[in-house]
Amino acid sequence: MNRFDKLFGIRGEAQVRYLDGEFQVVSAGEFVRCAVTGQKIDLADLRYWSVELQEAYATADISLQRYLEVSRNRPQT
């Protein structure tokens, strides 16, 4: 984020690496998008993500929905 972003209040999308129990901001921004709905999620409100898929989710229900979807499509071993 540069000084003009701060002056004019431009809210950019962050690039984030999702880790176990925490996330790391790779590229500055104020929000990420839900992988399922496309909804903006402020970094301060980010609570749900997948380390395996490197995706963020807006709610616990959406996170579960995505987990079940991926589990069904995963080949059985």
Side-chain angles (χ1 to χ4, degrees), residues 1-39:
M1 187 179 321
N2 64 37
R3 66 182 171 164
F4 295 110
D5 292 344
K6 291 179 185 175
L7 286 174
F8 297 114
I10 298 172
R11 294 177 43 118
E13 186 169 355
Q15 298 298 314
V16 176
R17 183 172 9 170
Y18 302 102
L19 307 170
D20 288 328
E22 63 183 354
F23 58 89
Q24 179 181 39
V25 177
V26 176
S27 178
E30 294 186 11
F31 67 90
V32 293
R33 293 198 181 272
C34 176
V36 176
T37 66
Q39 176 183 348

Side-chain angles (χ1 to χ4, degrees), residues 10 15 19 29 47 49 52 58 69-70 72 77:
I10 298 172
Q15 298 298 314
L19 307 170
R47 302 283 184 272
W49 61 82
E52 179 183 357
E69 175 186 310
V70 170
R72 278 192 296 265
T77 57

Side-chain angles (χ1 to χ4, degrees), residues 35-74:
V36 176
T37 66
Q39 176 183 348
K40 289 182 181 179
I41 308 165
D42 287 336
L43 289 181
D45 297 329
L46 180 58
R47 302 283 184 272
Y48 309 102
W49 61 82
S50 168
V51 174
E52 179 183 357
L53 301 175
Q54 290 294 293
E55 297 178 337
Y57 309 110
T59 67
D61 290 338
I62 293 170
S63 175
L64 176 60
Q65 170 190 337
R66 181 70 170 136
Y67 172 78
L68 294 173
E69 175 186 310
V70 170
S71 295
R72 278 192 296 265
N73 294 329
R74 187 171 288 145

